[in-house]
Amino acid sequence: MMLDWALWFAHNGWPVFPAHGIVDGSCTCRKGPECSSPGKHPDTRRGWKDASLDPRQIREWYAKNPHANIALACGNITVLDIDGEKGRQSLESLLDDDRAAYLRTTPRARTGGGGWHLFFQGVEVKNLVGMKPGLDIRSRGGHVILPPSMHASGRRYSFDRCPTRHKVQPFPDWLLQVAKEGERDKPRIETAVKADPSWDIDKIPEIPSYRNNTLTSLCGTMFRRGNSTEEITATLMAINEARCKPPLDASDIEKIVWSVSRYH
């Protein structure tokens, strides 16, 4: 089943690569039950850079790991990632009847974690975590997991508007504007910081995308300094509780670490 879908995506111009799968509730990577992003991280050395439309390459990957999940290398497909109820509420705050009707015309998938992915034609916009609370943009350099991949929850990703029947629509102008506003809000951390929960930094206020982008920048700095995923997660959790007003959910912190880790 996984191979057949991976071949279908490639045949229709969706560049894919294998991500580690879930078997008996654990990630197929070496860390197994201790994995911090089970079923979501690449099963190739270069991740999204290894994505392919070549059926021979795809068959080779799935011959090695038939349980591999399917990852889409975003770029010619741009994805709006809606994270649970928080993301749904943020999206609804942006919609009117016409916008909502347009979104219903493009493919949509239910994630194993209870969120949604909306698929659009590629557009020149940066990957953006926290464009709005619970809303992320996945574009060139990013990836998402595709149906019918298995989530760590035991649920499969699934289409409720499948690309076999729904054409991938252009990225809407109004959503592009929201994304660009999120890019302009992104703070830049220019000084080196230490992986220590006692950092003397100001409180991080609840300004649109500010908390997410500040923590994302700190996370990237720690990865560049060589800190481990576990150290970074623990540090960001502590900073989130001590400095963010109000704090983000723990799942949001884990998502930031997972997202940044793909580039390091």
Side-chain angles (χ1 to χ4, degrees), residues 109-127:
R110 179 83 170 182
T111 71
W116 301 93
H117 289 154
L118 284 170
F119 300 89
F120 299 97
Q121 294 173 17
V123 67
E124 289 300 319
V125 63
K126 295 180 180 179
N127 284 289

Side-chain angles (χ1 to χ4, degrees), residues 1-250:
M1 177 175 65
M2 302 301 291
L3 173 60
D4 291 341
W5 269 103
L7 291 171
W8 185 92
F9 288 124
H11 178 73
N12 286 275
W14 297 38
V16 297
F17 63 96
H20 283 284
I22 300 293
V23 175
D24 296 329
S26 297
C27 190
T28 57
C29 69
R30 294 180 180 178
K31 292 185 178 180
E34 305 302 319
C35 178
S36 61
S37 57
K40 295 182 177 180
H41 59 105
D43 192 15
T44 67
R45 186 173 64 86
R46 300 189 306 159
W48 66 270
K49 292 183 179 180
D50 290 322
S52 179
L53 299 174
D54 184 354
R56 290 179 296 181
Q57 175 63 78
I58 293 169
R59 288 191 176 93
E60 181 179 328
W61 282 331
Y62 281 86
K64 292 180 179 178
N65 184 3
H67 299 290
N69 281 341
I70 306 170
L72 166 70
C74 300
N76 66 335
I77 301 287
T78 297
V79 179
L80 176 64
D81 186 357
I82 306 164
D83 186 15
E85 182 64 18
K86 183 187 299 183
R88 186 189 65 80
Q89 292 176 358
S90 292
L91 182 58
E92 286 187 351
S93 72
L94 301 173
L95 298 180
D96 56 26
D97 289 345
D98 290 339
R99 290 178 176 182
Y102 183 78
L103 295 188
R104 289 194 292 269
T105 65
T106 204
R108 184 176 75 169
R110 179 83 170 182
T111 71
W116 301 93
H117 289 154
L118 284 170
F119 300 89
F120 299 97
Q121 294 173 17
V123 67
E124 289 300 319
V125 63
K126 295 180 180 179
N127 284 289
L128 190 58
V129 176
M131 177 182 72
K132 293 286 185 181
L135 293 182
D136 303 333
I137 296 291
R138 305 296 180 189
S139 190
R140 190 168 304 279
H143 77 266
V144 298
I145 303 301
L146 291 170
S149 298
M150 179 65 74
H151 189 266
S153 64
R155 296 186 294 267
R156 289 194 178 274
Y157 294 71
S158 61
F159 283 112
D160 68 335
R161 291 197 298 269
C162 186
T164 58
R165 297 184 177 181
H166 292 79
K167 181 180 178 181
V168 178
Q169 300 296 326
F171 198 86
D173 291 339
W174 61 267
L175 189 55
L176 180 60
Q177 183 62 34
V178 174
K180 289 183 176 180
E181 289 173 359
E183 289 178 11
R184 288 195 295 268
D185 288 340
K186 185 175 182 180
R188 298 184 179 278
I189 306 299
E190 297 180 350
T191 56
V193 292
K194 296 181 179 181
D196 188 328
S198 64
W199 286 334
D200 185 20
I201 62 176
D202 295 333
K203 295 288 184 180
I204 304 173
E206 189 180 16
I207 299 173
S209 78
Y210 192 90
R211 292 173 304 170
N212 297 67
N213 290 330
T214 298
L215 293 173
T216 297
S217 296
L218 295 175
C219 184
T221 298
M222 285 187 282
F223 270 115
R224 289 191 294 273
R225 291 172 64 90
N227 295 100
S228 69
T229 298
E230 291 76 14
E231 291 172 332
I232 294 169
T233 301
T235 299
L236 287 190
M237 290 286 190
I239 291 173
N240 179 50
E241 288 297 323
R243 311 291 185 181
C244 288
K245 301 191 302 184
L248 294 167
D249 293 340

